[in-house]
Amino acid sequence: MSFLRRRNGTDSSKTRVADPNIKKDGADDDDKKKDQYKIPQRRNYGSKKWSCWDNCCWFIGFICSIWWFCLFLYNTMPDSIPQFVTMAITGPLPDPPGVKLRKEGLTANHPVVLVPGVVTGGLELWEGRHCAEGLLGKRLWGGSFGEFYKRPLCWLEHISLDNDTGFDPPGIRVRPVTGLVAADYFATGYFVWAVVIANLAHIGYEEKSLYMAAYDWRLSFQNTEIRDQSLTRIKSNIELLVATHGGKKVVVLPHSMGVQYFLHFMKWVETPAPRGGGGGPDWCAKHIKAIMNIGAPFLGSPKSIALHFSIEVRDIAALRAQAPGLLDKDVLGLQTFKHLMRMFRTWDATFSMIPKGGETIWGGLDWSPETETVNNSAKKGTDNSTRNTGGNGNICDTKGVNYGRLISFSKDWAETHSSKIERVDFKHVAKGDKLTNSSNCDIWLEYHEMGNRAIKAVADHKVYTAGSILDLLHYVAPKLMARGASHFSYGIADDLDDPKYDQYKYWSNPLETKLPNAPDMEIYSLYGVGLPTERGYIYKVAPPSDCSIPFQIDTSVDGDSEDSCLKGGVFSGDGDETVPIISAGFMCAKGWRGKTRFNPSGIRTYNREYKHAPPANLLEGRGTQSGSHVDLLGNFALIEDVLRVAAGATGEDIGGDRVYSDIFKWSERINIKL
Amino acid sequence: MASVLRFRKLCYVESAVKCTSVGYESFEIDEKLDEKEEDVLSANNFALEINKKRKQPKRQPKEWRCLDSCCWIIGYLCTTWWLLLFFYHCLPVTLLRVPELPGPGVRLKREGLTALHPVVLVPGIVTGGLELWEGRPCADGLFRKRLWGGGSFTQIFKRPLCLLEHLSLHHETGLDPQGIRVRAVPGMVGADYFAPGYFVWAVLIENLAKIGYEGKNLHMAAYDWRLSFQNTEIRDHALTRLKSKIELMYISNGYKKVVAVPHSMGVIYFLHFLKWVETPPPMGGGGGPGWCAKHIKAVMNIGPAFLGVPKAVSNLFSAEGKDVSYIRAMAPRVFDSEILGLQTFERVMRMARTWDSIVSLLPKGGEVIWGNMDRSPEEGHVCDFSKKSHSKTSLTTNNVNNSDVKRGFLVKDLANYGRIISFGKPASVLHSSKLPTADSKEFSRTSTSENFNNFSCGEAWTEYDEMSRQSIQNVAADKAYTTTTLLDLLRFVAPKMMRRAEAHFSHGIAENLDDPKYNHYKYWSNPLETKLSDAPDMEIYCMYGVGIPTERSYVYKLSPNSRCKSIPYQIDNSVHGEDGSCLKGGVYFADGDESVPVLSAGFMCAKGWRGRTRFNPSGIATYIREYRHKPPTSLMEGRGIESGSHVDIMGNFALIEDIMRVAAGATGDEIGGDQIHSDIIKMSERINLGL
């Protein structure tokens, strides 16, 4: 640096010799005084030459100054200007539902309990290993993800649970964040509950009448009680809310997995003390006015299968197809997928999302509730016509799609009629025949205990339905499933009075529990429709390598036509991008409708569907009419429904059922004893 | 750090006008260097070659103007800064971390301590965060953002008036104004840090976490500290929530009693809670008479303001504290100037006077506790804080019966702490017989006199605007006020505020605690007017710092500024005592933790509740734990691990260790019983209170 400047100096000294002479010659007497001032200035500044370095510095400085100036202007600008600009472009924005309803005279009435779903709740660190020093009380999940993006392996270590117990590993305590901050924003600017909360606040809600039932969404539901007493806390808080609001019952808003969690809670709270909360048989009737399930995966979601099987979903698979080597690269020592899979498989809660009800609900090899039974080609015409007439219900061409086959190995097997498929049983194939190098793999996965023959056997079975998928998972990850099976169950109860159903593992499965005895309660299922939702997958065996996951979604497979439901190896159905309609709507449309054996006291149920409409322009952000799984929480129509119910309206008052899809037709096709 | 630098750079930009001269200077230096170089290089062929080469590029030599050099400097600084930042981020995390002092948590964990009793933290005044739930249009976009605490003070700079409006309460109801809802921030985040890097509870929480505490057995009882205590229940159900929370923790942690850790004003808030929870429903929580005995193991009061703080007096009287009045003395016109339209004090005072809770901090117990015109319990305290003089004991013995004159000779101007406000230095030192008596009835007579100023000032800002000039001077006329007459004074200068607040707080001493009137909630937060609950197994700790000069009484003067909308009184910061005197800048100092004098913090535990007294009928054990203040020895220590100052004491390792031991199951005797550095026992003896 100094060297450069010195060189400049010598340079300038040369020119300077000549400079003053010229100046003096041309100068008038009048200007002499000015010149005396000017000349030395010129000498110093004018004679400097630009080196590249100076240019760079100048440029950076220039940019910086302008940037700061703009920043300064931005900060001094009144906050109303951006809004003003938006108004000018899009015309006056519609009032958010809170403001609108406030003008109508609605005020806070029933206290509101929010139950966040999987992934969206924040987790914070209370005790950690050495690598996480100084991060106590920082968010490990949600928020800005704290400092952990700098140390990914450390993060993985802390966020994973113990593979045997399903609790924290020794020396690590990661706990849910409590309060509304737990799930108002998932990451900065990505709202989850924030919009709902803001609108509730408009009609008078505040901290004392809102409660975020935060829980550790990684744990199995009963374990949240064992470790954190989460269920007891929810019970105590609901009782407090009811007591401080003069006996007004609460309105519960569970979202996503929170739906099942709350189902579990309702069962737990009425079970006598040692195993349950000991609230007595009429606790729910006394404390709960309505449960408004948002994006409810009552019967699970096929997405979880792909996650369990190969830690992929549609988007990840597509990404992998784009840059095949990148994510799998062992060269970089990343092994992202295997790390993620290992982490994911330690989370018991993910088992709750595995499709429930087996083939009865999700369809068998040749039928599924979403499609007309295509026995022969003669039906083709009618099939087309239904699509055209009821067209708004379908998002793609469902002709010939076998949704019942959740996993098929190759497109052919996905389409051929079942009678033509020869399936080989895989369960008896010994798992031995280990890959030679598998012991070197530093990341433990149960796949490494499988040999080539076992992998081949799995692929040879060709097609899996919601029933056989459980066998498959049991086969590829026996330990994992053993742990999961002790906390969750996926069947359909034949006799609900069987004493075995008192066990907590059945509590979160609506097909194996009775609803509480609370005839005044209302159950809503609010969900988005009109988005392609993963419903089935086409898999392939991954090119063999020592330490990789042996199965992959076959992203090269596409449907025949433009609007085929098969794209990139994934069969899509209608839903909210995560939960298919059948899972979200069936219980309220049929399973619990009227007095059934699942709903002995005849709790009223309502289906409210919200048709997805993408945001009109960028300024709307994630849209006020979105139907997507999380963005639905910002849907004005949904918020309005929620506010009205919270302010005291009943399901009939807000208009009863509101259905766009064929959920009632599909439910009829499901043959279940009620 | 980055922001500081950026700010500096901004300064560069803004001072672009000055830049000519700066640039000129720096280049003259260059010039000198150039000349030297010339001598060396002119003979050097090599250099000539370079020159030739450099002349070859045909770029026109541009003018190196002032703006350019500015840009150059900024660019240069930026680049180096980025480079450094880049290196900093490249370094492994472990290398750069400031070697943290291992807190007591680590050591105690090694000793085998684990979480046993659930812990409830009760924050004090000012430190709790407040957030907005509904506001005026000027607060758009601040929904559920912090208005107070937690480092969002940037908003205060952006829209100060808006914030003042939102933080003020309604001046008649003491609740939110119409259309504004500001609520306490719940959870740990409510009060762990007050501003970024300025911890309040964070260090304690961190250490508790080390031995196994977490969300389920650690609770922050956040409440809106601006409201009167009963109003937090009426508006937010804060007391009900606290009760439910304690019951829940008691049950979900295997029926282990709770250790409560209140700080500062939280101490009297919790006192209020203890009384509230056992009172039957309409007014109280209906927990029944055994609730405290069943649910609470110990109350560990940190920096307790049991009997109030004199600071609250100056705050209410003139919106000043020791530090503020210093600043005012340094730059007399900045705060007062109306040119900027600031009127900071007036606005702040207006806001502070809507906060009922400040009234709860006015000194309680009147002259019995705080001393009368001529004597006070702290009498003879020597304020040479750097080294305690040995003559202290002799002085105190001398003073008791000495006449005024003699005292003046002996101890120069000895502090008459009892006169909590005196107008002019003479009023603070002269014997009471030579002073005009401050008769409370006198106020009421003058207060009805004509308020000729009222209309000319337009909107009344503070209640001072409603006072006539005459009565303002009457108040000041060379008088001194004790704690008892002070209340009359405040009732006179701010009648509405006191009327509102005195419905919620009382500052006296009960003659007969069984009088049914003491069932009213306004007495619950005054330890001298309530009985402790019947819980013989409970323990009460008074933990506070000592060794820091603490405001104890004030010398006031009439403000020279006689315009409307100004505060007519000011601390007279020109008044200083001689060396070794307790008087400095118009403030008399006594021993304490910078906010709470020892007397207020320690008396109840030292005497009022010690043993079986009428205030403590069940004989709850009390312990005094004092922590002598030591300033941090090095910068690395931050705010010190042995600090005794009011808030920094929450980072005092000795105090944290005590709390952790008790939380892990120890009793007061096991952690060492009393630990006393100050004269609290002697002071308490001088207080003549029927027990």
Side-chain angles (χ1 to χ4, degrees):
Chain A
M1 176 56 213
S2 59
F3 178 61
L4 272 170
R5 273 174 75 178
R6 253 181 240 158
R7 282 208 323 214
N8 275 344
T10 51
D11 202 25
S12 64
S13 63
K14 289 268 168 188
T15 44
R16 201 202 311 147
V17 182
D19 214 24
N21 295 332
I22 300 162
K23 276 285 150 190
K24 265 180 188 169
D25 286 346
D28 288 328
D29 289 346
D30 294 348
D31 287 334
K32 262 193 178 174
K33 274 187 182 174
K34 267 189 184 174
D35 277 350
Q36 272 174 351
Y37 177 68
K38 265 185 190 169
I39 287 166
Q41 231 183 350
R42 288 257 171 95
R43 246 208 246 144
N44 289 311
Y45 302 135
S47 55
K48 280 254 173 184
K49 262 194 195 165
W50 295 85
S51 71
C52 168
W53 172 256
D54 290 335
N55 263 326
C56 284
C57 280
W58 182 87
F59 184 68
I60 291 170
F62 185 67
I63 301 271
C64 281
S65 319
I66 288 177
W67 173 248
W68 288 326
F69 186 66
C70 290
L71 211 68
F72 176 73
L73 283 184
Y74 176 79
N75 275 322
T76 47
M77 175 180 71
D79 286 305
S80 54
I81 285 188
Q83 209 187 351
F84 185 75
V85 171
T86 325
M87 295 260 279
I89 296 171
T90 61
L93 289 170
D95 269 342
V99 176
K100 191 180 111 197
L101 294 178
R102 185 191 193 166
K103 281 180 200 147
E104 279 183 27
L106 260 66
T107 49
N109 192 358
H110 294 275
V112 171
V113 176
L114 313 173
V115 188
V118 76
V119 176
T120 48
L123 299 172
E124 62 189 7
L125 187 73
W126 280 90
E127 185 182 346
R129 297 268 159 81
H130 190 67
C131 68
E133 222 174 275
L135 295 182
L136 182 100
K138 295 262 163 55
R139 287 252 187 140
L140 207 60
W141 187 273
S144 60
F145 284 85
E147 300 247 308
F148 279 92
Y149 66 93
K150 275 192 209 162
R151 357 182 173 169
L153 284 182
C154 184
W155 180 78
L156 275 177
E157 186 185 348
H158 283 80
I159 204 90
S160 299
L161 295 170
D162 191 289
N163 209 13
D164 293 325
T165 60
F167 287 111
D168 289 307
I172 291 177
R173 280 185 294 143
V174 175
R175 296 289 180 268
V177 178
T178 52
L180 292 178
V181 284
D184 53 350
Y185 288 94
F186 176 58
T188 325
Y190 189 84
F191 71 82
V192 181
W193 289 99
V195 182
V196 175
I197 294 171
N199 281 295
L200 284 169
H202 277 305
I203 64 165
Y205 281 90
E206 55 192 66
E207 192 72 39
K208 68 173 172 188
S209 40
L210 286 173
Y211 170 62
M212 178 76 77
Y215 59 97
D216 191 335
W217 45 264
R218 301 170 302 157
L219 267 58
S220 80
F221 301 157
Q222 192 66 15
N223 278 350
T224 63
E225 169 65 14
I226 291 169
R227 197 192 69 180
D228 298 337
Q229 280 82 42
S230 293
L231 298 173
T232 314
R233 287 155 76 107
I234 294 174
K235 175 174 174 252
S236 151
N237 274 296
I238 290 180
E239 283 167 357
L240 173 67
L241 283 175
V242 173
T244 54
H245 285 78
K248 293 219 180 76
K249 297 183 208 171
V250 297
V251 171
V252 186
L253 303 179
H255 175 237
S256 185
M257 194 180 79
V259 167
Q260 297 191 12
Y261 188 72
F262 199 75
L263 222 53
H264 185 96
F265 168 78
M266 282 198 296
K267 208 65 194 161
W268 172 88
V269 78
E270 299 202 338
T271 305
R275 293 176 306 118
D282 56 351
W283 194 93
C284 292
K286 264 195 268 175
H287 292 92
I288 300 174
K289 169 188 154 64
I291 303 169
M292 308 191 76
N293 302 294
I294 302 171
F298 280 117
L299 303 175
S301 161
K303 222 176 191 174
S304 70
I305 291 178
L307 279 169
H308 270 287
F309 199 55
S310 67
I311 193 82
E312 285 176 304
V313 283
R314 184 175 51 198
D315 305 326
I316 294 179
L319 188 69
R320 190 181 230 177
Q322 297 278 309
L326 188 67
L327 289 172
D328 304 312
K329 269 273 168 10
D330 282 353
V331 186
L332 294 170
L334 281 174
Q335 298 189 304
T336 325
F337 277 103
K338 271 149 286 167
H339 278 295
L340 284 178
M341 184 160 199
R342 189 174 168 226
M343 169 182 90
F344 183 76
R345 284 196 167 178
T346 64
W347 295 347
D348 283 343
T350 55
F351 293 109
S352 70
M353 304 292 277
I354 289 177
K356 287 167 188 170
E359 297 187 6
T360 316
I361 301 288
W362 295 94
L365 285 173
D366 290 319
W367 77 279
S368 67
E370 283 105 324
T371 47
E372 303 258 353
T373 343
V374 196
N375 286 329
N376 45 39
S377 51
K379 274 235 169 179
K380 201 177 172 184
T382 52
D383 193 33
N384 265 339
S385 64
T386 45
R387 183 164 65 86
N388 291 334
T389 48
N392 54 350
N394 290 347
I395 53 154
C396 58
D397 185 3
T398 55
K399 177 173 62 88
V401 173
N402 288 315
Y403 281 129
R405 306 178 188 184
L406 286 182
I407 287 183
S408 5
F409 279 88
S410 96
K411 190 185 171 193
D412 291 342
W413 301 131
E415 288 171 356
T416 332
H417 194 265
S418 60
S419 55
K420 292 172 199 153
I421 303 175
E422 294 171 35
R423 293 201 290 174
V424 183
D425 197 4
F426 58 88
K427 279 178 234 171
H428 304 297
V429 177
K431 269 201 170 183
D433 182 23
K434 274 191 181 180
L435 294 170
T436 41
N437 281 338
S438 64
S439 53
N440 295 342
C441 300
D442 49 353
I443 302 164
W444 182 90
L445 275 181
E446 288 189 276
Y447 275 129
H448 299 145
E449 290 172 9
M450 284 172 69
N452 281 333
R453 270 179 55 215
I455 291 171
K456 190 166 176 297
V458 166
D460 279 347
H461 190 256
K462 289 165 190 140
V463 173
Y464 296 88
T465 63
S468 54
I469 202 95
L470 286 173
D471 299 329
L472 172 64
L473 287 175
H474 269 294
Y475 181 69
V476 297
K479 285 189 201 159
L480 177 86
M481 286 307 284
R483 208 179 69 226
S486 65
H487 286 286
F488 298 101
S489 168
Y490 313 104
I492 300 178
D494 287 325
D495 175 17
L496 278 165
D497 294 322
D498 191 331
K500 81 166 179 174
Y501 289 116
D502 288 343
Q503 222 247 324
Y504 61 78
K505 78 173 190 176
Y506 299 103
W507 289 347
S508 61
N509 182 354
L511 297 173
E512 289 179 307
T513 42
K514 285 190 259 186
L515 285 180
N517 180 25
D520 292 336
M521 209 164 90
E522 290 174 328
I523 295 180
Y524 297 79
S525 188
L526 317 165
Y527 52 91
V529 295
L531 283 167
T533 308
E534 289 155 69
R535 185 66 176 76
Y537 300 92
I538 292 185
Y539 266 86
K540 66 176 180 193
V541 176
S545 79
D546 291 343
C547 300
S548 66
I549 300 165
F551 307 105
Q552 274 182 14
I553 293 177
D554 191 351
T555 46
S556 63
V557 180
D558 278 313
D560 304 322
S561 58
E562 255 319 282
D563 58 349
S564 163
C565 285
L566 176 61
K567 253 194 196 122
V570 180
F571 283 105
S572 301
D574 198 357
D576 68 358
E577 218 162 19
T578 302
V579 182
I581 290 178
I582 201 76
S583 172
F586 173 71
M587 288 317 289
C588 283
K590 189 175 176 192
W592 288 331
R593 199 39 76 92
K595 239 184 236 281
T596 69
R597 64 186 179 112
F598 301 112
N599 179 11
S601 63
I603 296 170
R604 273 155 301 147
T605 60
Y606 301 96
N607 278 48
R608 305 279 295 174
E609 293 184 350
Y610 303 91
K611 190 142 193 57
H612 175 74
N617 56 37
L618 271 178
L619 289 166
E620 265 187 40
R622 283 153 67 203
T624 55
Q625 292 177 287
S626 177
S628 132
H629 192 59
V630 175
D631 297 353
L632 186 63
L633 289 168
N635 186 314
F636 279 6
L638 177 131
I639 292 173
E640 189 177 329
D641 286 349
V642 167
L643 293 191
R644 284 190 189 280
V645 172
T650 64
E652 299 302 331
D653 294 342
I654 63 167
D657 287 334
R658 190 176 86 161
V659 176
Y660 296 102
S661 70
D662 296 333
I663 177 68
F664 286 110
K665 209 187 289 169
W666 296 346
S667 303
E668 268 167 37
R669 288 195 202 121
I670 293 173
N671 182 20
I672 190 169
K673 192 181 82 183
L674 291 177
Chain B
M1 179 66 188
S3 62
V4 171
L5 239 119
R6 249 174 237 153
F7 181 66
R8 246 181 58 193
K9 283 172 199 161
L10 257 177
C11 288
Y12 273 111
V13 180
E14 277 165 3
S15 64
V17 197
K18 291 181 196 165
C19 133
T20 349
S21 59
V22 177
Y24 188 77
E25 271 172 26
S26 60
F27 283 102
E28 255 187 354
I29 296 165
D30 275 345
E31 198 182 327
K32 279 175 196 163
L33 272 172
D34 293 346
E35 275 165 7
K36 276 185 195 168
E37 294 297 313
E38 207 175 4
D39 295 337
V40 182
L41 290 178
S42 56
N44 198 329
N45 291 336
F46 182 64
L48 280 172
E49 269 175 11
I50 293 172
N51 283 342
K52 272 178 201 162
K53 267 186 197 168
R54 285 186 62 90
K55 273 181 185 172
Q56 270 167 0
K58 282 293 123 193
R59 203 190 299 157
Q60 188 69 33
K62 282 181 212 157
E63 291 238 327
W64 185 256
R65 283 172 300 124
C66 147
L67 200 67
D68 294 332
S69 52
C70 273
C71 283
W72 184 85
I73 290 171
I74 292 166
Y76 179 61
L77 286 174
C78 278
T79 329
T80 31
W81 173 245
W82 286 332
L83 261 175
L84 287 175
L85 211 70
F86 177 73
F87 284 131
Y88 175 85
H89 279 288
C90 282
L91 285 173
V93 197
T94 40
L95 200 82
L96 269 166
R97 196 177 308 129
V98 182
E100 268 178 37
L101 295 153
V106 179
R107 203 181 72 240
L108 294 178
K109 190 187 179 187
R110 247 180 264 133
E111 275 184 29
L113 259 67
T114 48
L116 186 71
H117 296 279
V119 173
V120 175
L121 311 173
V122 188
I125 197 168
V126 176
T127 47
L130 299 173
E131 62 187 11
L132 184 75
W133 277 83
E134 184 183 345
R136 300 268 155 81
C138 73
D140 257 355
L142 289 179
F143 174 67
R144 287 190 56 227
K145 297 259 162 54
R146 293 269 190 112
L147 293 190
W148 187 268
S152 69
F153 288 105
T154 43
Q155 291 298 339
I156 290 190
F157 295 114
K158 255 175 106 174
R159 25 190 157 173
L161 290 183
C162 184
L163 266 267
L164 279 181
E165 185 189 348
H166 283 81
L167 287 173
S168 301
L169 296 169
H170 193 275
H171 62 86
E172 273 168 25
T173 57
L175 296 170
D176 287 315
Q178 192 67 32
I180 291 177
R181 280 184 292 153
V182 174
R183 297 289 181 266
V185 179
M188 298 295 163
V189 285
D192 55 350
Y193 287 94
F194 180 58
Y198 188 85
F199 70 81
V200 182
W201 291 96
V203 180
L204 181 61
I205 293 171
E206 209 169 290
N207 280 293
L208 284 171
K210 291 250 163 58
I211 62 166
Y213 280 93
E214 59 193 46
K216 69 172 173 185
N217 46 16
L218 190 59
H219 174 65
M220 177 79 74
Y223 59 99
D224 189 336
W225 46 263
R226 301 169 304 158
L227 265 57
S228 79
F229 302 156
Q230 194 67 10
N231 274 345
T232 63
E233 167 64 14
I234 290 168
R235 198 191 69 180
D236 299 337
H237 309 299
L239 297 174
T240 315
R241 285 157 76 109
L242 180 56
K243 173 175 175 250
S244 146
K245 209 80 210 176
I246 289 178
E247 284 167 354
L248 171 65
M249 289 209 291
Y250 173 69
I251 292 166
S252 62
N253 286 285
Y255 301 95
K256 292 275 180 307
K257 292 189 207 172
V258 171
V259 172
V261 186
H263 173 238
S264 183
M265 192 181 81
V267 167
I268 46 181
Y269 185 74
F270 199 72
L271 214 58
H272 185 95
F273 169 76
L274 290 182
K275 205 67 194 164
W276 173 87
V277 78
E278 298 202 337
T279 307
M283 200 188 275
W291 195 93
C292 295
K294 188 179 162 197
H295 291 94
I296 292 174
K297 169 189 155 65
V299 185
M300 310 195 73
N301 304 296
I302 304 176
F306 278 123
L307 303 177
V309 286
K311 234 180 189 175
V313 176
S314 67
N315 195 312
L316 282 176
F317 198 58
S318 66
E320 285 178 306
K322 168 189 65 168
D323 308 323
V324 175
S325 78
Y326 278 158
I327 296 172
R328 190 181 230 177
M330 303 287 274
R333 294 251 65 89
V334 176
F335 281 107
D336 304 323
S337 67
E338 265 188 13
I339 307 163
L340 293 170
L342 279 175
Q343 297 192 302
T344 325
F345 282 103
E346 288 75 12
R347 285 178 199 278
V348 167
M349 174 175 230
R350 201 178 167 212
M351 175 174 74
R353 282 198 173 177
T354 64
W355 295 347
D356 284 342
S357 58
I358 293 189
V359 176
S360 77
L361 291 173
L362 286 179
K364 287 166 191 166
E367 296 184 3
V368 179
I369 302 288
W370 294 92
N372 56 22
M373 296 297 268
D374 290 317
R375 53 162 300 280
S376 70
E378 284 118 324
E379 215 154 54
H381 178 73
V382 174
C383 298
D384 194 7
F385 283 102
S386 49
K387 42 185 192 290
K388 277 225 160 190
S389 91
H390 297 285
S391 57
K392 192 178 66 185
T393 40
S394 62
L395 282 178
T396 42
T397 44
N398 280 343
N399 282 337
V400 181
N401 293 318
N402 264 349
S403 75
D404 202 25
V405 192
K406 202 175 176 189
R407 192 187 300 166
F409 273 113
L410 265 175
V411 246
K412 284 101 182 185
D413 35 51
L414 186 106
N416 276 320
Y417 288 124
R419 305 177 192 185
I420 203 142
I421 285 185
S422 29
F423 280 92
K425 193 180 174 187
S428 73
V429 280
L430 286 176
H431 190 269
S432 58
S433 55
K434 293 173 193 161
L435 283 172
T437 46
D439 186 7
S440 57
K441 272 144 211 149
E442 192 183 331
F443 295 142
S444 47
R445 260 183 275 127
T446 46
S447 64
T448 49
S449 68
E450 72 287 4
N451 300 348
F452 51 86
N453 267 344
N454 201 6
F455 297 102
S456 55
C457 284
E459 187 201 3
W461 277 46
T462 59
E463 291 188 77
Y464 280 128
D465 293 340
E466 291 167 13
M467 282 170 69
S468 68
R469 200 73 215 153
Q470 183 60 43
S471 44
I472 286 173
Q473 269 155 6
N474 270 356
V475 165
D478 270 347
K479 283 172 195 162
Y481 298 89
T482 66
T483 333
T484 314
T485 48
L486 171 82
L487 288 173
D488 298 325
L489 173 65
L490 284 174
R491 271 176 216 133
F492 175 63
V493 298
K496 283 183 201 157
M497 174 196 74
M498 289 304 280
R499 213 177 304 136
R500 189 188 69 228
E502 290 203 312
H504 289 282
F505 298 107
S506 164
H507 301 91
I509 298 179
E511 292 295 322
N512 174 18
L513 279 164
D514 293 323
D515 191 331
K517 79 166 180 174
Y518 289 115
N519 290 332
H520 191 267
Y521 61 79
K522 79 176 199 180
Y523 300 104
W524 290 347
S525 62
N526 182 355
L528 297 173
E529 291 179 305
T530 41
K531 284 190 259 187
L532 287 179
S533 42
D534 179 26
D537 293 336
M538 207 166 92
E539 290 172 328
I540 294 181
Y541 296 80
C542 291
M543 323 173 83
Y544 50 91
V546 295
I548 307 183
T550 307
E551 290 159 66
R552 178 67 174 77
S553 57
Y554 301 91
V555 178
Y556 264 87
K557 68 175 180 194
L558 273 174
S559 157
N561 190 343
S562 60
R563 287 183 309 266
C564 294
K565 294 181 182 177
S566 68
I567 300 166
Y569 309 108
Q570 268 184 19
I571 293 177
D572 189 355
N573 38 43
S574 62
V575 179
H576 290 281
E578 287 153 58
D579 284 346
S581 154
C582 296
L583 179 62
K584 215 174 175 192
V587 181
Y588 282 101
F589 291 98
D591 198 3
D593 68 358
E594 215 167 14
S595 289
V596 184
V598 170
L599 184 68
S600 170
F603 173 74
M604 288 317 290
C605 285
K607 190 174 176 194
W609 287 331
R610 194 45 66 97
R612 223 179 257 271
T613 68
R614 66 188 177 112
F615 301 110
N616 180 10
S618 62
I620 295 170
T622 61
Y623 300 96
I624 295 181
R625 306 284 294 173
E626 291 185 346
Y627 305 90
R628 178 165 288 295
H629 175 73
K630 277 186 204 143
T633 47
S634 68
L635 270 178
M636 299 290 266
E637 270 184 37
R639 282 153 67 202
I641 55 169
E642 289 179 286
S643 175
S645 126
H646 192 59
V647 174
D648 294 355
I649 198 171
M650 313 260 263
N652 186 314
F653 280 5
L655 174 125
I656 292 174
E657 188 177 332
D658 286 348
I659 292 177
M660 288 173 72
R661 284 191 188 281
V662 173
T667 64
D669 290 323
E670 279 164 18
I671 63 166
D674 288 341
Q675 170 186 305
I676 297 177
H677 299 288
S678 71
D679 300 330
I680 180 66
I681 299 291
K682 214 176 288 163
M683 284 183 213
S684 308
E685 273 167 23
R686 282 196 213 115
I687 292 172
N688 183 21
L689 179 70
L691 292 175

